[in-house]
């Protein structure tokens, strides 16, 4: 974690081995696991942190329960849209979410992503694995700027969690 | 294909490269694509060919449409059960099915499988890719006898397709 003003910003670490079809990111967030899990599964909260800040998230569907579907559209200031969708394979409350992921403009390239939430006292370690249908799909995702987008998401999530914790005090 | 009695049996070929997280199988079936696709998506037909012949398939859910869920239980003569489940990410009718796959006794090990159907005149080439969360998951699936089970499935599917074609004559 690094300190930016008064807030401790989360640092995301990535494991991206050459030739593999997956990538793994880990981050430690300064909030209890139940609150982090809620930020991943409540559509109103999710809309406030997912993706780069320059986009507004339009939550068309967001059913993060087994068998549920989700569709989120990132809308830019100029009206251009980036739609993402998938289905939820399984959820263990406060522990694990396993779902599919597809960026609609390159439809047919589907990934399976699994987020696990580990309680470290008042902090939470989130490990996210994404496995792609090919190494090329994975490398394309990395080349598209996935890391900076994910870093920014985690910074926004960190700030949101601070706000939610302050609201509870 | 090999000939067994009067019926031409389909031969399934596998690509399983060391260290990769996926496996690919291809088979050419002697039936038009629409009929093959129907055998993959109609629960009554699917129950008649999927898995080894020594099991009876109990179709608890089988919604092979985008966002649908499926659960199939292979029941042995002695009453022992092998339950499988997943969600359907996407379907392009007669062309492609993309869904998740999990064998419940080893819950938490999820795979993403994609079947594509290519028309070769009156025959159909089916290419199935399964991508696993780890190389170990994939190798475990192969070690469990996946290939002989899949070979038997394709032989049963070949026989069912012959029966369905005969019924139309």
């Amino acid at each position: 974690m690094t300190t930016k003003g008064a807030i401790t910003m989360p640092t995301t670490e990535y494991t991206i081995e050459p030739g593999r079809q997956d990538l793994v990111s880990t981050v430690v967030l300064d909030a209890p696991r139940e609150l982090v899990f809620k930020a991943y599964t409540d559509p109103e909260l999710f809309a406030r942190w997912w993706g780069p800040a320059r986009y507004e998230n339009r939550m068309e569907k967001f059913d993060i329960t087994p068998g549920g579907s989700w569709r989120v559209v990132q809308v830019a200031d100029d009206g251009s849209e980036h739609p993402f969708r998938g289905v939820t394979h399984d959820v263990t409350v406060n522990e694990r979410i396993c779902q599919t992921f597809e960026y609609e403009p390159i439809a047919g390239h589907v990934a399976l992503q699994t987020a696990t939430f580990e309680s470290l006292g008042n902090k939470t370690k989130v490990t996210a694995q994404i496995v792609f249908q090919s190494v090329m799909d994975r490398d394309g995702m990395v080349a598209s700027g996935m890391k900076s987008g994910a870093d920014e998401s985690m910074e926004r999530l960190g700030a949101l969690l601070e706000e939610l914790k302050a609201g509870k005090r």
Side-chain angles (χ1 to χ4, degrees), chain A residues 101-145:
Chain A
F101 175 96
E102 185 177 17
Y103 177 49
E104 291 182 9
I106 48 164
H109 298 259
V110 184
L112 181 69
Q113 61 182 18
T114 310
T116 54
F117 304 87
E118 188 185 342
S119 185
L120 307 172
N122 287 327
K123 297 185 196 290
T124 303
K125 182 177 177 181
V126 182
T127 303
Q129 187 210 33
I130 311 181
V131 56
F132 298 83
Q133 290 167 315
S134 68
V135 178
M136 197 179 285
D137 279 2
R138 187 203 65 167
D139 291 350
M141 176 75 134
V142 174
S144 76

Side-chain angles (χ1 to χ4, degrees), chain A residues 37-168:
Chain A
F37 185 81
K38 194 177 171 196
Y40 270 81
T41 51
D42 177 305
E44 285 182 30
L45 295 181
F46 189 85
R48 290 172 63 187
W49 66 265
W50 191 67
R54 65 182 182 278
Y55 299 125
E56 184 98 15
N57 287 316
R58 190 171 72 230
M59 307 298 287
E60 300 205 339
K61 273 189 285 191
F62 200 70
D63 181 1
I64 311 301
T65 61
S69 296
W70 65 274
R71 185 172 196 263
V72 180
V73 182
Q74 296 179 341
V75 185
D77 277 348
D78 66 3
S80 63
E81 302 198 342
H82 298 280
F84 298 84
R85 58 178 282 271
V87 290
T88 308
H89 174 82
D90 215 356
V91 173
T92 307
V93 173
N94 294 332
E95 290 182 19
R96 190 170 186 270
I97 299 167
C98 180
Q99 60 198 166
T100 61
F101 175 96
E102 185 177 17
Y103 177 49
E104 291 182 9
I106 48 164
H109 298 259
V110 184
L112 181 69
Q113 61 182 18
T114 310
T116 54
F117 304 87
E118 188 185 342
S119 185
L120 307 172
N122 287 327
K123 297 185 196 290
T124 303
K125 182 177 177 181
V126 182
T127 303
Q129 187 210 33
I130 311 181
V131 56
F132 298 83
Q133 290 167 315
S134 68
V135 178
M136 197 179 285
D137 279 2
R138 187 203 65 167
D139 291 350
M141 176 75 134
V142 174
S144 76
M146 180 275 305
K147 271 202 244 182
S148 66
D151 285 346
E152 194 174 345
S153 291
M154 286 302 126
E155 289 175 12
R156 296 176 72 196
L157 176 56
L160 174 64
L161 292 168
E162 288 303 318
E163 202 183 308
L164 294 172
K165 286 193 296 179
K168 281 193 173 171

